[in-house]
């Protein structure tokens, strides 16, 4: 049966998405997940201190490693498909090994990155080089290079920082107190932000930022479970959506690869899809896993992953099941 291409996405295909694979062998909450940019791989972290690697083309768990000493919280792939950056949940003091560069191939720690004094809540890797960024509850954003232990740059700010690179690696965004988004040139961030965006009327903390693949749009998810799509060039709000609140779970939203749809979890245990051009809801599904706290669309496939407490699901068009 022919596989649907991401260039063919339309309302009908979005509505047809359903669970194609389910993994329920986690103990506790799944903390984070990430797709590799070019390989058919997904990595997750969990409260059970696990890091798990999946083959998304065949819906298979490839490897599980456990990290009892440091724990496993935020996670991102590097350019290499068997290497990841993972943040720690334990022993977060002034000398803490708050970030680790891990090899999934042979379960080795290739490098430690020290500096953050509190938990890392946002993590992202550059799409073009060995740089990566981390935002922490210690009110700093740190810029790193995979090849060296020392921090390459520090931004000090108010509030809970969220960080994201655009898909060209030229610009990065940092959220600050009061719902402000500051944009920096990746090559000269020490000169300060070149622009600041505000979502009018919403002062809630921004918990997640994503850029669309074409770099034209930004997706913001707030602590109050509001979702906004902004023009990445001028900060103009293109559309906004709201979902039900959840008292103890923050939700995540994601662009489709063509940048035409937004998918999001909700506090009522549903998943929702909206068309950005028409600003209308096109699908609503029972997540079947409760409130989905982790949600990302695969970069090169018509597939997304949703996760909550103890369960990871892969969603695909039902004509390919």
């Amino acid at each position: 049966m022919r596989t649907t291409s991401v260039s063919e996405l339309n309302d009908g295909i979005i509505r047809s998405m359903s669970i194609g694979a389910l993994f329920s062998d986690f103990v506790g909450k799944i903390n984070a997940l990430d797709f590799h940019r070019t390989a058919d791989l997904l990595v997750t972290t969990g409260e059970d201190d696990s890091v798990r690697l999946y083959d998304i083309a065949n819906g298979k768990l490839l490897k599980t490693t456990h990290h009892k000493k440091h724990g496993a919280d935020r996670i991102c792939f590097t350019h290499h498909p068997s290497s990841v950056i993972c943040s720690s949940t334990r022993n977060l003091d002034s000398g803490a090994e708050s970030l680790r560069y891990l090899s999934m191939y042979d379960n080795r720690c290739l490098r430690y990155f020290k500096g953050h004094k509190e938990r890392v809540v946002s993590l992202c890797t550059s799409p073009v080089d060995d740089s990566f960024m981390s935002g922490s509850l210690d009110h700093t954003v740190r810029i790193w290079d995979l090849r060296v232990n020392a921090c390459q740059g520090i931004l000090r700010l108010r509030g809970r920082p969220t960080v994201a690179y655009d898909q060209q690696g030229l610009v990065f965004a940092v959220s600050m107190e009061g719902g402000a988004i500051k944009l920096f040139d990746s090559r000269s961030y020490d000169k300060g932000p070149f622009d600041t965006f505000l979502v009018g009327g919403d002062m809630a903390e921004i918990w997640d930022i994503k850029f669309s693949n074409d770099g034209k749009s930004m997706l913001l998810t707030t602590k109050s479970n509001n979702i906004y799509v902004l023009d990445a060039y001028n900060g103009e709000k293109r559309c906004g959506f709201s979902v039900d609140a959840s008292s103890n779970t923050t939700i995540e939203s994601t662009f489709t690869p063509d940048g035409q749809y937004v998918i999001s979890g909700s506090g009522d245990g549903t998943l929702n899809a909206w068309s950005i051009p028409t600003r209308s809801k096109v699908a609503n599904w029972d997540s079947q896993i409760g409130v989905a706290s982790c949600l990302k669309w695969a970069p090169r496939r018509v597939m997304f992953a949703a996760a909550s407490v103890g369960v990871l699901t892969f969603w695909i068009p039902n004509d390919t099941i």
Side-chain angles (χ1 to χ4, degrees), residues 108-121:
R108 283 192 306 130
C109 182
L110 305 176
R111 181 164 282 117
Y112 292 106
F113 301 95
K114 300 180 181 181
H116 284 303
K117 296 185 171 84
E118 293 192 44
R119 188 167 72 90
V120 170
V121 292

PDB file of all heavy atoms in Angstrom, residues 108-121:
ATOM      1  N   ARG A 108      27.381   4.901  26.623  1.00  0.00           N
ATOM      2  CA  ARG A 108      28.467   5.647  27.266  1.00  0.00           C
ATOM      3  C   ARG A 108      28.106   7.112  27.362  1.00  0.00           C
ATOM      4  O   ARG A 108      27.414   7.651  26.498  1.00  0.00           O
ATOM      5  CB  ARG A 108      29.769   5.524  26.456  1.00  0.00           C
ATOM      6  CG  ARG A 108      30.504   4.207  26.606  1.00  0.00           C
ATOM      7  CD  ARG A 108      31.902   4.318  26.019  1.00  0.00           C
ATOM      8  NE  ARG A 108      31.886   4.797  24.637  1.00  0.00           N
ATOM      9  CZ  ARG A 108      32.634   5.798  24.171  1.00  0.00           C
ATOM     10  NH1 ARG A 108      33.439   6.470  24.987  1.00  0.00           N
ATOM     11  NH2 ARG A 108      32.579   6.144  22.903  1.00  0.00           N
ATOM     12  N   CYS A 109      28.616   7.769  28.400  1.00  0.00           N
ATOM     13  CA  CYS A 109      28.525   9.225  28.478  1.00  0.00           C
ATOM     14  C   CYS A 109      29.771   9.801  27.823  1.00  0.00           C
ATOM     15  O   CYS A 109      30.901   9.573  28.279  1.00  0.00           O
ATOM     16  CB  CYS A 109      28.408   9.693  29.920  1.00  0.00           C
ATOM     17  SG  CYS A 109      28.226  11.488  30.033  1.00  0.00           S
ATOM     18  N   LEU A 110      29.575  10.529  26.744  1.00  0.00           N
ATOM     19  CA  LEU A 110      30.707  11.074  25.982  1.00  0.00           C
ATOM     20  C   LEU A 110      31.224  12.379  26.585  1.00  0.00           C
ATOM     21  O   LEU A 110      32.395  12.710  26.453  1.00  0.00           O
ATOM     22  CB  LEU A 110      30.282  11.312  24.529  1.00  0.00           C
ATOM     23  CG  LEU A 110      29.700  10.089  23.806  1.00  0.00           C
ATOM     24  CD1 LEU A 110      29.215  10.479  22.411  1.00  0.00           C
ATOM     25  CD2 LEU A 110      30.750   8.986  23.717  1.00  0.00           C
ATOM     26  N   ARG A 111      30.330  13.118  27.254  1.00  0.00           N
ATOM     27  CA  ARG A 111      30.761  14.399  27.851  1.00  0.00           C
ATOM     28  C   ARG A 111      29.706  14.873  28.847  1.00  0.00           C
ATOM     29  O   ARG A 111      28.513  14.658  28.657  1.00  0.00           O
ATOM     30  CB  ARG A 111      30.966  15.448  26.742  1.00  0.00           C
ATOM     31  CG  ARG A 111      31.442  16.807  27.235  1.00  0.00           C
ATOM     32  CD  ARG A 111      32.002  17.667  26.106  1.00  0.00           C
ATOM     33  NE  ARG A 111      33.370  17.230  25.763  1.00  0.00           N
ATOM     34  CZ  ARG A 111      33.732  16.730  24.592  1.00  0.00           C
ATOM     35  NH1 ARG A 111      32.832  16.597  23.641  1.00  0.00           N
ATOM     36  NH2 ARG A 111      34.969  16.362  24.365  1.00  0.00           N
ATOM     37  N   TYR A 112      30.177  15.519  29.917  1.00  0.00           N
ATOM     38  CA  TYR A 112      29.288  16.188  30.863  1.00  0.00           C
ATOM     39  C   TYR A 112      29.346  17.692  30.628  1.00  0.00           C
ATOM     40  O   TYR A 112      30.392  18.244  30.272  1.00  0.00           O
ATOM     41  CB  TYR A 112      29.713  15.895  32.309  1.00  0.00           C
ATOM     42  CG  TYR A 112      29.523  14.468  32.747  1.00  0.00           C
ATOM     43  CD1 TYR A 112      30.619  13.615  32.879  1.00  0.00           C
ATOM     44  CD2 TYR A 112      28.265  13.980  33.069  1.00  0.00           C
ATOM     45  CE1 TYR A 112      30.460  12.298  33.300  1.00  0.00           C
ATOM     46  CE2 TYR A 112      28.091  12.669  33.496  1.00  0.00           C
ATOM     47  CZ  TYR A 112      29.183  11.837  33.603  1.00  0.00           C
ATOM     48  OH  TYR A 112      29.018  10.541  34.018  1.00  0.00           O
ATOM     49  N   PHE A 113      28.216  18.357  30.878  1.00  0.00           N
ATOM     50  CA  PHE A 113      28.168  19.812  30.774  1.00  0.00           C
ATOM     51  C   PHE A 113      27.639  20.358  32.097  1.00  0.00           C
ATOM     52  O   PHE A 113      26.491  20.114  32.474  1.00  0.00           O
ATOM     53  CB  PHE A 113      27.256  20.233  29.616  1.00  0.00           C
ATOM     54  CG  PHE A 113      27.693  19.705  28.280  1.00  0.00           C
ATOM     55  CD1 PHE A 113      27.152  18.524  27.794  1.00  0.00           C
ATOM     56  CD2 PHE A 113      28.646  20.362  27.526  1.00  0.00           C
ATOM     57  CE1 PHE A 113      27.543  18.014  26.566  1.00  0.00           C
ATOM     58  CE2 PHE A 113      29.052  19.862  26.298  1.00  0.00           C
ATOM     59  CZ  PHE A 113      28.507  18.679  25.819  1.00  0.00           C
ATOM     60  N   LYS A 114      28.509  21.092  32.794  1.00  0.00           N
ATOM     61  CA  LYS A 114      28.178  21.612  34.125  1.00  0.00           C
ATOM     62  C   LYS A 114      27.934  23.117  34.053  1.00  0.00           C
ATOM     63  O   LYS A 114      28.541  23.810  33.245  1.00  0.00           O
ATOM     64  CB  LYS A 114      29.322  21.335  35.096  1.00  0.00           C
ATOM     65  CG  LYS A 114      29.640  19.855  35.277  1.00  0.00           C
ATOM     66  CD  LYS A 114      30.786  19.662  36.256  1.00  0.00           C
ATOM     67  CE  LYS A 114      31.136  18.194  36.441  1.00  0.00           C
ATOM     68  NZ  LYS A 114      32.241  18.009  37.404  1.00  0.00           N
ATOM     69  N   GLY A 115      27.055  23.604  34.943  1.00  0.00           N
ATOM     70  CA  GLY A 115      26.826  25.039  35.014  1.00  0.00           C
ATOM     71  C   GLY A 115      25.463  25.387  35.579  1.00  0.00           C
ATOM     72  O   GLY A 115      25.350  26.244  36.459  1.00  0.00           O
ATOM     73  N   HIS A 116      24.418  24.744  35.096  1.00  0.00           N
ATOM     74  CA  HIS A 116      23.088  25.045  35.622  1.00  0.00           C
ATOM     75  C   HIS A 116      22.972  24.616  37.081  1.00  0.00           C
ATOM     76  O   HIS A 116      23.458  23.550  37.461  1.00  0.00           O
ATOM     77  CB  HIS A 116      22.014  24.326  34.794  1.00  0.00           C
ATOM     78  CG  HIS A 116      21.748  24.965  33.471  1.00  0.00           C
ATOM     79  ND1 HIS A 116      21.364  26.287  33.347  1.00  0.00           N
ATOM     80  CD2 HIS A 116      21.787  24.453  32.207  1.00  0.00           C
ATOM     81  CE1 HIS A 116      21.191  26.564  32.056  1.00  0.00           C
ATOM     82  NE2 HIS A 116      21.448  25.469  31.348  1.00  0.00           N
ATOM     83  N   LYS A 117      22.302  25.439  37.861  1.00  0.00           N
ATOM     84  CA  LYS A 117      22.140  25.165  39.290  1.00  0.00           C
ATOM     85  C   LYS A 117      20.763  24.611  39.633  1.00  0.00           C
ATOM     86  O   LYS A 117      20.512  24.213  40.766  1.00  0.00           O
ATOM     87  CB  LYS A 117      22.406  26.436  40.092  1.00  0.00           C
ATOM     88  CG  LYS A 117      23.842  26.939  39.964  1.00  0.00           C
ATOM     89  CD  LYS A 117      24.049  28.127  40.883  1.00  0.00           C
ATOM     90  CE  LYS A 117      25.523  28.516  40.952  1.00  0.00           C
ATOM     91  NZ  LYS A 117      25.949  29.374  39.888  1.00  0.00           N
ATOM     92  N   GLU A 118      19.848  24.637  38.655  1.00  0.00           N
ATOM     93  CA  GLU A 118      18.525  24.053  38.861  1.00  0.00           C
ATOM     94  C   GLU A 118      18.136  23.280  37.601  1.00  0.00           C
ATOM     95  O   GLU A 118      18.889  23.228  36.627  1.00  0.00           O
ATOM     96  CB  GLU A 118      17.493  25.139  39.195  1.00  0.00           C
ATOM     97  CG  GLU A 118      17.735  25.804  40.551  1.00  0.00           C
ATOM     98  CD  GLU A 118      16.555  26.652  40.992  1.00  0.00           C
ATOM     99  OE1 GLU A 118      15.401  26.191  40.863  1.00  0.00           O
ATOM    100  OE2 GLU A 118      16.794  27.792  41.449  1.00  0.00           O
ATOM    101  N   ARG A 119      16.952  22.701  37.630  1.00  0.00           N
ATOM    102  CA  ARG A 119      16.521  21.785  36.579  1.00  0.00           C
ATOM    103  C   ARG A 119      16.447  22.478  35.211  1.00  0.00           C
ATOM    104  O   ARG A 119      15.998  23.615  35.092  1.00  0.00           O
ATOM    105  CB  ARG A 119      15.148  21.204  36.933  1.00  0.00           C
ATOM    106  CG  ARG A 119      14.683  20.091  36.024  1.00  0.00           C
ATOM    107  CD  ARG A 119      13.491  19.363  36.628  1.00  0.00           C
ATOM    108  NE  ARG A 119      12.275  20.161  36.586  1.00  0.00           N
ATOM    109  CZ  ARG A 119      11.401  20.154  35.580  1.00  0.00           C
ATOM    110  NH1 ARG A 119      11.613  19.395  34.513  1.00  0.00           N
ATOM    111  NH2 ARG A 119      10.321  20.912  35.642  1.00  0.00           N
ATOM    112  N   VAL A 120      16.894  21.769  34.183  1.00  0.00           N
ATOM    113  CA  VAL A 120      16.761  22.231  32.801  1.00  0.00           C
ATOM    114  C   VAL A 120      15.334  21.931  32.338  1.00  0.00           C
ATOM    115  O   VAL A 120      14.859  20.797  32.444  1.00  0.00           O
ATOM    116  CB  VAL A 120      17.787  21.536  31.885  1.00  0.00           C
ATOM    117  CG1 VAL A 120      17.496  21.830  30.411  1.00  0.00           C
ATOM    118  CG2 VAL A 120      19.203  21.980  32.241  1.00  0.00           C
ATOM    119  N   VAL A 121      14.643  22.948  31.845  1.00  0.00           N
ATOM    120  CA  VAL A 121      13.246  22.784  31.434  1.00  0.00           C
ATOM    121  C   VAL A 121      13.062  22.921  29.923  1.00  0.00           C
ATOM    122  O   VAL A 121      11.970  22.676  29.409  1.00  0.00           O
ATOM    123  CB  VAL A 121      12.334  23.790  32.169  1.00  0.00           C
ATOM    124  CG1 VAL A 121      12.278  23.453  33.654  1.00  0.00           C
ATOM    125  CG2 VAL A 121      12.793  25.229  31.952  1.00  0.00           C
TER     126      VAL A 121
END
